[in-house]
Amino acid sequence: MIEDLESMLCAATGYDAMSLQPNAGSQGEYAGLLAIRGYHESRGDEHRTVCLIPSSAHGTNPASAQMCGMDVVVVKCDDQGNVDVSDLQDKVATHSKNLAAIMVTYPSTHGVFEERITEICEIVHDHGGQVYIDGANLNAMVGVCQPGKFGGDVSHLNLHKTFCIPHGGGGPGVGPIGVGAHLEPFLPKEHEGGSRRGAQVSAAPYGSASILPISWMYIRMMGRVGLKQATEVAILNANYMANRLQDHFQVLYTGANGRVAHECILDVRPIKDDAGISVDDIAKRLIDFGFHAPTMSFPVAGTLMIEPTESESKAELDRFCDAMIAIKQEVEQVVNGQFPLEDNPLVHAPHTAAVVTADNWGRAYSRSQAAYPVTTSRENKYWPPVGRLDNVFGDRNLICSCPSMANYET
Ligand SMILES: *Cc1c(COP(=O)(O)O)cnc(C)c1O
């Protein structure tokens, strides 16, 4: 089953070999960069240690490069969120002799299909560097394009992002890496008789082996046609939401045709500037509508990144858009002076049942606006158990709540 899964993932990505050993995308990055390092060393190129990383990258990319003893050189992005190719050319020329690799994410973390990706890969190859394509966004590629074919030498996949391994609770995950044939000798593998080859990144030969049947079943049940359709629907859903929300919020980055990939960044920073309402206020208010907020302040601080995936129904996408539009109307109520900045449904969100049903209310807005901001919430209301927390204080002050044995003594 494991071998079967490896070959199905090779078919999806266009790579020649796959290792299921890494337990997370980040561990896959580490394994992939070790493979690149091993490859350079095998050719007497020990001095190739420079790793180019665009400023749009996920934070794990520079962390992995540093753990592999590589020197990180940042490549700029342009105003559209794409890799700045002329800056890339400069950096590649400067570091040509010592160039180990580029780590580039496609489609990018900015939620756009980088149009010059093939050219970017060629530039790096021309200078003897290897191309690491971060495959965390493979949900926008399966059945449509293959990183192993448009210039990647190695990629990690996140089976817990693209191939149905449940997220949450801190794992376990699976971050397999696919490689071209020239990197296969450096792939972490176990061979007959248990001998290991390649840079080992986990004690277990097949990482999180017990959950691999989930991805195997998913691929078998979806089939070639179903997987492609899932990708297309994920992209369609993101564009549907971007389109519905664009009159109310600014979509930060789009491609040449005004489209996004499988996710989009809503720029709510102008709302902070104009109305004093922060991304935190919007995220907390979403709880009153029954939503967990989307990714906040990543990859751009003060913004929201929305990735609806292929799994949500149109009704659910609309419910989310309706909530965001209602929140924008509340922002307008602050801007036009109907509610003061320090007393409105956004800055006081989320609203617990205890707060809404208390004998004293005394706020500038009504109880029903607090608890039932849209009519659908009357039928299906989620009540948050706690009100607003001071996130930063909580993050900086870890408090152990394990009382000592003495507290149990009577
Ligand atoms: C999620 C993600 C990673 C890291 O993957 P983990 O499985 O969380 O370690 C790396 N790069 C990108 C672009 C990601 O989105």
Side-chain angles (χ1 to χ4, degrees), residues 33 37 46-53 61-75 91 95 97-103:
L33 291 179
R37 203 177 75 179
E46 287 87 355
H47 55 278
R48 288 194 176 270
T49 55
V50 170
C51 185
L52 302 176
I53 303 182
N61 289 186
S64 302
Q66 238 146 14
M67 280 179 67
C68 289
M70 291 184 175
D71 306 309
V72 174
V73 173
V74 179
V75 180
K91 300 272 159 69
H95 300 285
K97 229 168 58 75
N98 298 323
L99 186 60
I102 186 170
M103 293 184 92

Side-chain angles (χ1 to χ4, degrees), residues 103-116:
M103 293 184 92
V104 57
T105 306
Y106 183 83
S108 78
T109 297
H110 286 161
V112 254
F113 287 103
E114 191 96 44
E115 285 197 12
R116 298 172 77 177

Side-chain angles (χ1 to χ4, degrees), residues 3-20 138 145-149 157 163 176-180 184 187 189 219:
E3 278 169 14
D4 219 21
L5 180 60
E6 283 177 357
S7 63
M8 293 191 293
L9 293 175
C10 281
T13 54
Y15 284 111
D16 299 307
M18 189 73 54
S19 166
L20 288 161
L138 201 75
C145 64
Q146 298 167 296
K149 291 283 189 282
L157 326 182
F163 291 97
I177 50 170
V179 295
E184 191 176 355
L187 208 53
K189 280 275 176 184
I219 296 173

Side-chain angles (χ1 to χ4, degrees), residues 23-29 56-61 105-109 134-137 156-161 167 173-175 263 298 305 307:
N23 292 294
S26 44
Q27 211 182 16
E29 293 173 24
S56 56
H58 194 268
T60 50
N61 289 186
T105 306
Y106 183 83
S108 78
T109 297
D134 182 324
N137 292 337
H156 76 261
L157 326 182
N158 306 60
L159 299 194
H160 46 283
K161 288 182 181 171
H167 255 85
V174 193
E263 62 192 12
F298 176 83
M305 183 168 74
E307 179 177 358

